Amino acid sequence: MTIVVLALALSLAGSMFEANRQIEIHSLQSQLLQEQSTYAVQVGSLTNLSAPSQIATQAGALHLVDPTSVTQVPSTSLDAPLSLPKFSGYAPATSRTIR
């Protein structure tokens, strides 16, 4: 009789522990879904800020205009060292290899 009562108590304790874990897992899943939703809203709002129409609107508000000409910069090998830029006026020049 004692063994049956002990087995029943252990079974009941195990079931209660498992139920508590399931409730904790459900709570964590709900929290995860809420955080993912918040993240998606933030990504959407930031994506809207970088849309071309928004950029054009903000550029117009800053009185920026379309360029009259575009100068293509020639490509160069990344292995070749570049010469220092030429400044009109004083500017300290430090070699890229010394920095």
Side-chain angles (χ1 to χ4, degrees), residues 39-62:
Y39 175 75
V41 168
Q42 290 174 346
V43 166
S45 66
L46 290 176
T47 301
N48 290 339
L49 288 176
S50 63
S53 62
Q54 287 290 336
I55 301 293
T57 301
Q58 291 176 4
L62 295 172

Side-chain angles (χ1 to χ4, degrees), residues 56-97:
T57 301
Q58 291 176 4
L62 295 172
H63 305 292
L64 299 175
V65 296
D66 291 330
T68 56
S69 67
V70 176
T71 303
Q72 191 70 22
V73 177
S75 64
T76 183
S77 170
L78 296 177
D79 295 331
L82 298 176
S83 61
L84 292 174
K86 307 248 184 308
F87 295 101
S88 58
Y90 173 76
T94 306
S95 172
R96 293 184 312 152
T97 57

